[in-house]
Amino acid sequence: MIASLHSQLIQWFLANQRKLPWREKYDPYEIWISEIMCQQTRIEAVIGFFHRWMEAIPNITTLAETPTETLLKLWEGLGYYRRVRMLQQASIEIVEKHNGQLPNQYEDLLKLPGIGPYSAAAISSIAFEQPHGVVDGNVKRVLSRLFAWQEPIHLKTSTTFFENKVASLIEQGQPRYLNQALMEFGALQCIPNTPRCHSCPITVLCKGFAKNLVSQLPNRTKAPITKKTEIALFLQYNNTYFLQQQQANEFWKGFWNVPLYTIETNTKDFIENWLQQNLPFTANAETSFMAPFSYTITVYRIQVVPILLRFQHKISSLSTKLGKKGNWFSLEEITNLPLTKPVREVLTQSRQLVL
């Protein structure tokens, strides 16, 4: 089965693969950047960011020398911003230890900041055709169905099972195409909710299909989500706005944010009382409640209540009053800063109210 599956997967991939910019040349630097960008992000959403990045940062030396804030701005909207900092740290190390050339061996890639076992396997196999298997969510889904694997996929036994199956396929050769074929097959053919079994070229090999288990696989266990409610304060004075830079112990380190506070409930009366008790200076502002929105980060689902506060007079010692240092910026200056998701959402809404 393994040899036949290997052959048919690669044949399918070469005929059906998406045209992606990093597949044009299989340039190692482009493969590296694309792999990091595509972590926890849809490929379709990455393409625009990839083109913009390559235009501004065409090689590893440029990446090592570019100011971090510029890189964060290029990355803005992709999320998981620690990735871009690790990219730069790795690029500096590559310049210093590898003459500016991305290492072609799995073990050397694994030593670089921001490159774990998955990324090292993907980069070494796709860029350098090294025999290392890649196991992502798409691959787990495809293999669960193909082999009717019914154990929860988060278990260590499942991890070992998937790795062994991919290793067996890699032994047949062409690791560049095999790894991409498995991932692409999961993205385009063996999709999560409505797998295209009617047009699948390998149903004859699929044990999940034979046992009518496809709709039940893979067996997922969802991580618990913690819900939080925050108020986001967009403070305006004389067409300038107050932002704070996120610190090392906060999400979005280095990005600029509006003041955020976790609260117990999102009712208007509660928020007004909370502001009066905790930030009494806000009573001097004209207050506008904007449309709430939600976002998810790591294990948190956060509902944000944005509030626009217009001040007629500049507030003295505002950083002290808020408990965190910040600065006033014009809208033009703000749009050139790396911004968090909350501040981008608040800025979009506030433009409708202010300008």
Side-chain angles (χ1 to χ4, degrees):
M1 175 180 175
I2 292 295
S4 179
L5 180 59
H6 176 274
S7 175
Q8 292 192 50
L9 281 170
I10 290 181
Q11 183 178 347
W12 177 91
F13 173 72
L14 293 176
N16 296 279
Q17 63 178 305
R18 286 170 289 186
K19 292 183 178 180
L20 301 175
W22 48 88
R23 285 176 177 165
E24 294 177 1
K25 300 179 294 183
Y26 284 106
D27 174 77
Y29 172 66
E30 293 186 358
I31 295 298
W32 174 36
I33 299 301
S34 70
E35 283 299 323
I36 303 303
M37 282 188 170
C38 287
Q39 290 175 9
Q40 298 170 300
T41 308
R42 292 184 306 105
I43 285 181
E44 292 79 9
V46 164
I47 294 174
F49 288 95
F50 179 84
H51 284 303
R52 185 174 64 166
W53 179 280
M54 285 300 158
E55 184 176 348
I57 316 292
N59 53 58
I60 291 174
T61 301
T62 304
L63 174 55
E65 296 173 350
T66 300
T68 302
E69 193 162 87
T70 300
L71 299 179
L72 289 171
K73 187 64 181 177
L74 286 168
W75 201 270
E76 182 182 299
L78 269 176
Y80 299 95
Y81 296 100
R82 186 173 181 271
R83 295 181 295 177
V84 72
R85 295 188 183 88
M86 293 296 98
L87 274 173
Q88 185 166 50
Q89 291 180 27
S91 69
I92 293 170
E93 190 167 317
I94 292 169
V95 169
E96 293 176 349
K97 298 182 179 180
H98 301 280
N99 298 317
Q101 299 298 312
L102 191 69
N104 61 11
Q105 296 297 314
Y106 174 89
E107 293 76 12
D108 293 330
L109 288 166
L110 201 56
K111 296 175 184 177
L112 295 173
I115 297 183
Y118 171 86
S119 297
I123 296 166
S124 64
S125 64
I126 297 173
F128 301 111
E129 299 193 88
Q130 298 293 314
H132 296 282
V134 177
V135 179
D136 69 354
N138 283 322
V139 174
K140 291 177 182 179
R141 182 170 60 257
V142 171
L143 295 178
S144 290
R145 290 168 173 172
L146 276 170
F147 294 95
W149 182 257
Q150 298 179 57
E151 296 294 322
I153 61 173
H154 72 282
L155 296 179
K156 186 175 181 180
T157 52
S158 294
T159 299
T160 301
F161 174 82
F162 296 135
E163 290 175 348
N164 288 342
K165 290 301 181 185
V166 174
S168 296
L169 288 164
I170 289 289
E171 288 177 358
Q172 303 295 313
Q174 296 182 277
R176 167 182 289 173
Y177 293 140
L178 186 278
N179 278 326
Q180 290 185 96
L182 278 170
M183 292 186 284
E184 197 83 330
F185 197 79
L188 302 181
Q189 187 75 33
C190 196
I191 57 180
N193 298 320
T194 54
R196 301 183 172 102
C197 297
H198 63 283
S199 62
C200 179
I202 55 175
T203 50
V204 66
L205 300 174
C206 183
K207 294 180 180 179
F209 182 79
K211 296 179 179 181
N212 198 29
L213 293 173
V214 171
S215 63
Q216 302 173 36
L217 299 173
N219 183 352
R220 295 187 179 277
T221 300
K222 295 183 179 179
I225 296 294
T226 301
K227 294 182 179 180
K228 295 173 61 177
T229 301
E230 294 179 339
I231 53 173
L233 305 182
F234 202 41
L235 310 177
Q236 179 202 0
Y237 164 71
N238 196 24
N239 290 324
T240 60
Y241 305 86
F242 190 83
L243 298 181
Q244 301 167 319
Q245 194 166 32
Q246 297 293 97
Q247 303 304 306
N249 62 339
E250 299 174 310
F251 291 125
W252 296 300
K253 173 188 173 184
F255 279 65
W256 289 88
N257 207 356
V258 293
L260 291 174
Y261 298 92
T262 300
I263 59 174
E264 297 173 11
T265 181
N266 63 357
T267 63
K268 186 175 181 181
D269 287 344
F270 178 89
I271 293 172
E272 289 177 341
N273 289 332
W274 188 95
L275 289 173
Q276 184 177 357
Q277 293 176 19
N278 294 276
L279 302 173
F281 69 90
T282 59
N284 299 321
E286 177 188 344
T287 304
S288 300
F289 281 73
M290 293 179 277
F293 62 93
S294 298
Y295 68 96
T296 299
I297 183 167
T298 63
V299 296
Y300 296 99
R301 181 65 179 171
I302 302 175
Q303 183 183 50
V304 179
V305 180
I307 304 171
L308 177 65
L309 299 167
R310 297 187 183 94
F311 293 89
Q312 297 299 316
H313 304 283
K314 196 166 187 178
I315 310 158
S316 60
S317 306
L318 181 55
S319 293
T320 301
K321 289 181 170 67
L322 293 172
K324 182 179 175 181
K325 186 178 179 181
N327 292 301
W328 293 93
F329 297 95
S330 67
L331 280 175
E332 182 179 359
E333 291 172 325
I334 288 174
T335 55
N336 291 320
L337 296 173
L339 305 172
T340 65
K341 179 177 178 62
V343 77
R344 281 187 280 119
E345 177 71 27
V346 172
L347 179 61
T348 300
Q349 292 194 40
S350 67
R351 283 172 180 266
Q352 298 171 6
L353 292 169
V354 179
L355 301 183

